[in-house]
Amino acid sequence: MAYVSMGEAHRRITEYLNRFCDAVSYQDSSMLCRLLSFSSNSPSLLSLADALNVFQDASSLIRQSDKFSEYGEILAHLFRSLQSYRVGNLVEAYLAFEKFANAFVQEFRNWESAWALEALYVVCYEIRILAEKADKELTSNGKSPEKLKAAGSLLMKVFGVLAGKGPKRVGALYVTCQLFKTYFKLGTVNLCRSVIRSIETARIFDFEEFPRRDKLGTVNLCRSVIRSIETARIFDFEEFPRRDKVTYMYYTGRLEVFNENFPAADTKLSYALQHCNPKRERNIRMILKYLIPVKLSLGVIPKDELLQKYNLHEYMNVVQALRKGDLRLLRHALQEHEDRFLRSGVYLVLEKLELQVYQRLMKKIYIIQKLSDPARAHQLKLEVIAKALRWLEIDMDLDEVECIMTILIYKNLVKGYLAHKSKVVVLSKQDPFPKLNGKPVGS
Amino acid sequence: MNRRSRGSSSSSGSVGGASDSYRRRSDVPRNRSNDNNKGGDSADVSFIVGTCSSMCPERERVTRERLRDLSVFERLHGNPTKSSSDLAVKKFCRTLSAADVQASDVRPLPVLEETLRYLLSLMDSREHPFEVVHDFIFDRTRSVRQDLSIQNLASERVIHLYEEIVIFHVISRQRLQSCSGTSISSMHHLNMEQLAKTLTTLYNMYDANRKPDYIYENEAEFRSLYVLLHLNTSSGVMGEPLSLWFRKLTSNLIKSKEMCFVRKLLRSYRNGNYRSFLRTTASEATYLQYCISEPHIREMRSFAVECINNVCYKLQPYPLLRLSQYLMMKEMDVESLCHECGLEIRTDSDGSIVLPTKQTNFCSPKEGFKNYDLIGIEVERESDDMLSKKKFTEICLIFLIRVFKYSDSCVLVGTYC
């Protein structure tokens, strides 16, 4: 921490106070954003923090002038938070910031127009980030991490403030997305379900309007929010800023993946992909990470170039296995990247691809048989299938082979019937291996 | 995800070590699913230390004696107005808040351990029908859990208590099936509800006290029960999709034998592979896992019948004998299952019973408790005394055994070598 003289400290603090009050008076949102953005670690904020730590009694400065004391409460908490932040005391920083945020939101309510929305976004973002840091500090001290949860409650409050008639409602989706991020981090996403459902069935939100980034939501809290939105019919999606929509669709799409609702996941994630800024490669990669397993489950196989371009190597063997009907390769790929797939939550989805791999394998056997003995190609002997599997180093007795074939036929991956006495699968002459055509297996 | 390393603030020794429970103030996750958690902010309230030295606080016993509110198990010589400190057990009640509770009403850990031991010993009682036994133990264990949570107790000993209560709920689930009566289905439902709550608390305890990379002795098995309760994605007993749940598990847990087993089951179940499902269950399931898997075993079997009926060549009816081997059931149970599915069977010209395929009136069997035994085909029998009926308390001690006998019918499960 740099050395600052008292005089210099006084100057810096006063300068900040002036900037803050001017920003409010002149409704200068972008100035206000800069003044509140702790995580940017901007030199001016850091130097302000140093000044505060030296001066120690900024409240007296605030009280001295009418201009400043109007926002006395907001500023006092903000300063306290910044001081703690600077010395790395993150739990204290969070607690003070929470108080600041509460006071700020009160003020925000009183402002007629929506000029300060961007600043409010900054506050929402900062509180989430600070809460995460605070929780890390708590955990490392053996205590229970609860600040992120608290931040979620505050965000919910903010949502409530925005969810009314008037120009401010346009900010609701951004806050929703912050809530989603919070809840995904907390792992309490089950609550999202009803929220999302209410948003979507009520058609309250016309996503065209939401900003691109905002299209993801918070699970739990959203529920009551969405419900109140729904009934009040306050929101018209058309008006939400474009940039927030992508985020919203990304998160809700991910939720559909967790719930294995593939057609819906496909719609949402594809939307996110389509509308995502093509320069944002990191975001595209994140979307693809979830979209690819979904597409695979619907029988759509991505090109290798796509996987390479966005560095999604973990899927290469999976895709290859599907193309070649190589069950051993699929299992191997799942094992190799088990940790990664489990962490991202797509493991179970990929496991289910087994049936499609079997289908492909059967098709290959059929094609080979057609070449050597076309008249009898449509009869797949269970013995032959078992042999093919053995060649792939998979040991399966005829009973299990019969079971697999039964399932494949039942789920319409193979058309035909099983003559169990003769231990043969008789394939239909027409289209014995129907494509999925965008529908998940066995639905 | 929320693993806490043991800071210097904890008072007792290492996790694996010493005896006494210790109090943790704000460490308890807020969403502990206990019935009594309305006592305000956990961070600021100091927790009660119970001083009641018997299974039931004296003043409650006296009150209930007077009001004739004694369970059959609590009556001294059958007298509905008299109990004793050996028989009375504190009842569960929805207390208003932690502030209203007196220390003399709350039992400390050693008394709770003794209470639970006594309660579980009643499981083998033959004097009363099982519904009555279950009802009593159900309520009184809930009260034990309540006392544990009011005092915010957490230690390895407490973990064992919760584990035993889970075992009670699982085995009750099994035994309630052979009971009859109008209240059984709601009993079953409540039982599953409390099973879910107890499991949630247990998992929170595992997480809260963890050293990095450490898993508790029985943790893997109890975690595996969660997976088995959620094989079917649409039935959320505890609410969270499995994909999300797996994210939070440590690497050790995921690689444990029990988790690998249930993941294998999960894969088979979701791919519809009934053969692998039944075989894996038969050869690898522990008793607890088997109990929880029963509805899915049933489901897989009816699914198998549905598939076979749908897929097999009409001119080659499926022999029931073969089906029974396939589904690991007795042949007469297969008959019964087919009937439940609305399918007819007939006797062939050579006397064997067959299932004609391509019948059109298949229907899924109604919800019910009828479960058929799982007959292992790779049986390596343990010695005869292992096959003899296990007492409940023994099951608690060695619930990881793989051969067991359930009530009167013998269920032979292939042992896993």
Side-chain angles (χ1 to χ4, degrees):
Chain A
M1 204 162 48
Y3 170 75
V4 181
S5 71
M6 279 301 256
E8 173 64 12
H10 184 285
R11 189 195 68 78
R12 287 184 194 170
I13 297 173
T14 315
E15 186 182 348
Y16 183 91
L17 288 170
N18 274 314
R19 284 218 196 102
F20 185 94
C21 298
D22 287 344
V24 175
S25 310
Y26 298 120
Q27 301 194 345
D28 186 349
S29 184
S30 42
M31 166 62 85
L32 197 52
C33 288
R34 281 197 295 278
L35 294 175
L36 300 177
S37 180
F38 282 20
S39 61
S40 67
N41 285 325
S42 69
S44 58
L45 273 177
L46 292 178
S47 66
L48 172 67
D50 289 339
L52 287 169
N53 278 319
V54 162
F55 200 84
Q56 284 299 328
D57 189 18
S59 338
S60 62
L61 265 185
I62 299 175
R63 278 195 298 273
Q64 269 167 29
S65 143
D66 280 341
K67 177 183 182 188
F68 302 155
S69 56
E70 194 183 339
Y71 305 109
E73 204 191 331
I74 295 179
L75 290 164
H77 293 308
L78 184 63
F79 281 173
R80 212 168 302 135
S81 177
L82 187 57
Q83 278 178 268
S84 304
Y85 181 77
R86 183 71 173 116
V87 299
N89 195 340
L90 296 160
V91 177
E92 289 302 321
Y94 171 80
L95 287 168
F97 198 91
E98 197 184 46
K99 295 200 173 88
F100 153 74
N102 269 311
F104 183 85
V105 171
Q106 287 304 326
E107 219 28 69
F108 178 86
R109 272 177 123 144
N110 298 332
W111 295 328
E112 280 284 321
S113 77
W115 71 267
L117 258 186
E118 290 284 338
L120 185 65
Y121 293 165
V122 170
V123 173
C124 290
Y125 175 83
E126 293 296 326
I127 199 157
R128 180 174 65 86
I129 300 299
L130 260 179
E132 285 178 20
K133 291 191 175 136
D135 274 352
K136 271 208 194 92
E137 188 177 285
L138 285 170
T139 315
S140 62
N141 289 338
K143 302 214 195 75
S144 156
E146 42 177 35
K147 298 308 176 199
L148 191 55
K149 210 167 172 190
S153 303
L154 189 130
L155 286 170
M156 194 53 174
K157 237 199 279 188
V158 175
F159 191 109
V161 166
L162 294 175
K165 297 200 168 80
K168 292 176 190 168
R169 69 181 180 274
V170 149
L173 201 59
Y174 179 89
V175 179
T176 303
C177 290
Q178 292 300 318
L179 278 169
F180 272 163
K181 291 187 195 197
T182 306
Y183 282 100
F184 264 72
K185 194 91 187 213
L186 287 171
T188 51
V189 290
N190 52 311
L191 303 168
C192 281
R193 214 182 314 155
S194 39
V195 166
I196 310 307
R197 215 177 286 140
S198 19
I199 294 185
E200 275 150 23
T201 51
R203 307 202 133 269
I204 291 184
F205 296 105
D206 174 354
F207 282 118
E208 287 318 304
E209 188 178 310
F210 274 117
R212 250 179 184 196
R213 347 173 283 258
D214 266 348
K215 287 279 167 108
L216 300 169
T218 309
V219 187
N220 281 324
L221 299 182
C222 282
R223 200 188 333 173
S224 41
V225 167
I226 303 307
R227 216 175 279 144
S228 56
I229 294 177
E230 256 178 77
T231 49
R233 304 210 151 263
I234 292 173
F235 292 97
D236 174 8
F237 273 27
E238 282 311 320
E239 40 182 306
F240 284 113
R242 217 168 178 248
R243 41 163 202 171
D244 293 333
K245 292 177 202 172
V246 170
T247 320
Y248 185 88
M249 284 303 208
Y250 166 74
Y251 275 111
T252 49
R254 273 180 69 180
L255 289 175
E256 300 289 5
V257 175
F258 291 145
N259 292 323
E260 303 209 351
N261 192 349
F262 295 132
D266 187 17
T267 311
K268 294 182 186 186
L269 291 172
S270 297
Y271 181 101
L273 187 65
Q274 268 174 342
H275 291 78
C276 182
N277 186 340
K279 293 211 188 76
R280 299 255 191 237
E281 291 207 354
R282 189 172 159 269
N283 288 353
I284 294 191
R285 183 177 185 279
M286 280 166 68
I287 298 172
L288 282 174
K289 208 163 80 147
Y290 292 93
L291 186 55
I292 287 177
V294 170
K295 288 287 196 191
L296 290 177
S297 304
L298 298 173
V300 177
I301 301 189
K303 293 203 176 66
D304 277 342
E305 295 85 62
L306 183 70
L307 298 179
Q308 268 164 7
K309 179 173 181 190
Y310 293 104
N311 200 17
L312 289 158
H313 298 292
E314 63 264 32
Y315 289 122
M316 298 212 94
N317 278 343
V318 175
V319 167
Q320 185 75 319
L322 270 172
R323 277 206 200 103
K324 299 199 345 197
D326 190 343
L327 189 63
R328 174 186 46 180
L329 187 58
L330 177 69
R331 289 188 178 166
H332 173 79
L334 286 182
Q335 211 177 337
E336 190 184 345
H337 299 289
E338 187 181 75
D339 269 343
R340 193 199 297 229
F341 288 147
L342 280 172
R343 300 267 162 248
S344 59
V346 297
Y347 188 91
L348 296 183
V349 174
L350 295 172
E351 256 188 343
K352 240 177 154 174
L353 295 174
E354 245 188 45
L355 289 179
Q356 286 162 250
V357 175
Y358 276 120
Q359 183 203 42
R360 184 76 193 129
L361 179 62
M362 301 308 140
K363 189 168 184 181
K364 274 174 83 169
I365 298 175
Y366 169 69
I367 291 172
I368 293 173
Q369 281 185 185
K370 231 179 170 181
L371 291 173
S372 55
D373 186 4
R376 282 212 286 268
H378 64 287
Q379 290 181 19
L380 290 182
K381 289 211 178 86
L382 296 186
E383 188 54 69
V384 171
I385 298 173
K387 205 193 286 185
L389 288 168
R390 264 198 303 276
W391 186 73
L392 285 173
E393 290 171 18
I394 295 177
D395 235 326
M396 221 181 260
D397 64 12
L398 286 187
D399 277 348
E400 196 168 346
V401 174
E402 182 182 316
C403 171
I404 303 271
M405 293 314 297
T406 310
I407 302 167
L408 288 177
I409 300 174
Y410 180 79
K411 293 197 185 232
N412 211 33
L413 284 167
V414 169
K415 271 222 193 104
Y417 62 82
L418 173 71
H420 70 89
K421 251 194 195 151
S422 353
K423 297 212 185 302
V424 149
V425 170
V426 179
L427 297 171
S428 151
K429 292 279 170 65
Q430 273 183 348
D431 192 26
F433 302 103
K435 283 198 161 24
L436 287 180
N437 276 335
K439 289 210 182 62
V441 171
S443 39
Chain B
M1 261 176 125
N2 284 343
R3 269 188 288 156
R4 306 176 240 303
S5 55
R6 295 279 303 264
S8 50
S9 52
S10 60
S11 48
S12 76
S14 69
V15 163
S19 40
D20 289 295
S21 63
Y22 57 93
R23 248 185 297 144
R24 292 168 310 121
R25 301 266 310 234
S26 51
D27 280 8
V28 178
R30 286 249 180 88
N31 57 350
R32 287 249 311 262
S33 57
N34 277 299
D35 308 293
N36 168 40
N37 225 353
K38 306 168 188 104
D41 206 35
S42 56
D44 297 343
V45 169
S46 57
F47 293 99
I48 293 176
V49 183
T51 57
C52 172
S53 58
S54 51
M55 295 196 291
C56 183
E58 167 121 15
R59 65 171 181 159
E60 177 186 316
R61 174 165 59 83
V62 166
T63 309
R64 287 203 283 128
E65 278 173 340
R66 191 166 38 87
L67 297 175
R68 299 177 141 236
D69 181 20
L70 296 173
S71 157
V72 287
F73 299 96
E74 295 173 312
R75 296 176 192 173
L76 194 57
H77 306 309
N79 185 341
T81 59
K82 202 82 191 80
S83 184
S84 77
S85 59
D86 286 334
L87 296 175
V89 184
K90 183 178 173 191
K91 248 183 142 171
F92 171 74
C93 90
R94 297 176 192 286
T95 52
L96 310 159
S97 74
D100 293 346
V101 174
Q102 293 183 15
S104 55
D105 284 337
V106 177
R107 298 159 288 181
L109 182 59
V111 178
L112 289 171
E113 286 174 319
E114 191 192 305
T115 308
L116 188 62
R117 214 172 299 138
Y118 167 69
L119 287 172
L120 296 180
S121 71
L122 296 175
M123 278 288 271
D124 293 317
S125 135
R126 291 280 165 259
E127 283 176 51
H128 301 95
F130 183 71
E131 308 92 272
V132 177
V133 174
H134 166 84
D135 205 31
F136 181 67
I137 305 181
F138 177 89
D139 180 81
R140 302 308 194 261
T141 49
R142 218 172 160 187
S143 169
V144 167
R145 280 165 41 214
Q146 195 173 35
D147 277 6
L148 285 171
S149 111
I150 290 180
Q151 299 174 88
N152 196 29
L153 295 178
S155 70
E156 194 140 352
R157 278 162 75 185
V158 176
I159 285 178
H160 281 143
L161 288 184
Y162 277 103
E163 287 176 349
E164 288 185 14
I165 297 177
V166 168
I167 296 177
F168 157 69
H169 285 297
V170 172
I171 294 194
S172 265
R173 198 200 154 280
Q174 262 276 20
R175 295 198 187 174
L176 281 175
Q177 279 164 183
S178 40
C179 299
S180 59
T182 46
S183 57
I184 296 296
S185 96
S186 67
M187 266 188 166
H188 170 77
H189 174 78
L190 290 171
N191 187 44
M192 292 307 283
E193 199 179 62
Q194 291 305 312
L195 170 61
K197 283 191 177 173
T198 315
L199 272 178
T200 304
T201 309
L202 180 59
Y203 294 156
N204 285 341
M205 296 230 153
Y206 286 142
D207 280 333
N209 292 333
R210 196 193 294 284
K211 273 206 284 258
D213 287 341
Y214 176 83
I215 55 177
Y216 287 86
E217 192 185 335
N218 302 319
E219 186 178 351
E221 175 155 4
F222 283 94
R223 294 272 188 189
S224 72
L225 298 182
Y226 183 95
V227 178
L228 293 173
L229 287 169
H230 289 79
L231 285 185
N232 191 346
T233 44
S234 52
S235 74
V237 173
M238 281 148 79
E240 204 183 11
L242 267 183
S243 292
L244 273 182
W245 189 81
F246 274 121
R247 270 168 37 141
K248 302 194 276 197
L249 294 185
T250 65
S251 188
N252 278 7
L253 266 179
I254 295 197
K255 295 199 194 338
S256 68
K257 179 165 66 151
E258 292 82 355
M259 286 306 293
C260 286
F261 160 70
V262 290
R263 283 173 58 200
K264 202 160 148 194
L265 269 198
L266 182 63
R267 184 189 301 191
S268 307
Y269 179 86
R270 285 149 53 83
N271 283 325
N273 189 340
Y274 42 86
R275 186 91 187 103
S276 163
F277 185 90
L278 292 171
R279 280 235 295 245
T280 310
T281 306
S283 63
E284 290 180 47
T286 65
Y287 182 51
L288 284 185
Q289 290 167 334
Y290 170 73
C291 289
I292 302 247
S293 303
E294 269 191 321
H296 298 299
I297 293 174
R298 177 176 170 70
E299 207 180 318
M300 285 272 99
R301 282 170 172 165
S302 5
F303 176 69
V305 170
E306 185 176 359
C307 286
I308 289 175
N309 175 53
N310 184 285
V311 143
C312 284
Y313 191 30
K314 194 162 185 176
L315 297 181
Q316 291 181 1
Y318 213 95
L320 245 55
L321 178 61
R322 186 157 153 61
L323 195 52
S324 74
Q325 285 165 347
Y326 223 7
L327 302 181
M328 302 173 86
M329 299 166 77
K330 296 189 215 142
E331 207 175 321
M332 65 181 183
D333 286 344
V334 180
E335 258 188 69
S336 177
L337 178 63
C338 289
H339 287 312
E340 276 193 80
C341 295
L343 296 177
E344 290 170 6
I345 54 176
R346 58 159 214 258
T347 316
D348 230 356
S349 47
D350 54 5
S352 54
I353 312 181
V354 293
L355 171 71
T357 58
K358 302 286 192 194
Q359 294 186 44
T360 49
N361 37 345
F362 175 88
C363 64
S364 285
K366 284 194 288 286
E367 272 286 320
F369 298 124
K370 197 167 187 194
N371 277 299
Y372 304 106
D373 301 331
L374 181 66
I375 310 293
I377 55 169
E378 302 152 0
V379 178
E380 288 186 31
R381 290 198 170 98
E382 300 254 346
S383 62
D384 276 344
D385 50 298
M386 284 288 258
L387 289 177
S388 69
K389 180 169 174 175
K390 289 281 168 212
K391 283 193 119 154
F392 181 80
T393 42
E394 287 170 323
I395 292 178
C396 282
L397 290 173
I398 43 172
F399 57 79
L400 292 173
I401 60 164
R402 287 144 183 25
V403 176
F404 56 89
K405 182 171 177 178
Y406 164 58
S407 79
D408 300 320
S409 56
C410 188
V411 182
L412 294 174
V413 175
T415 54
Y416 185 68
C417 256

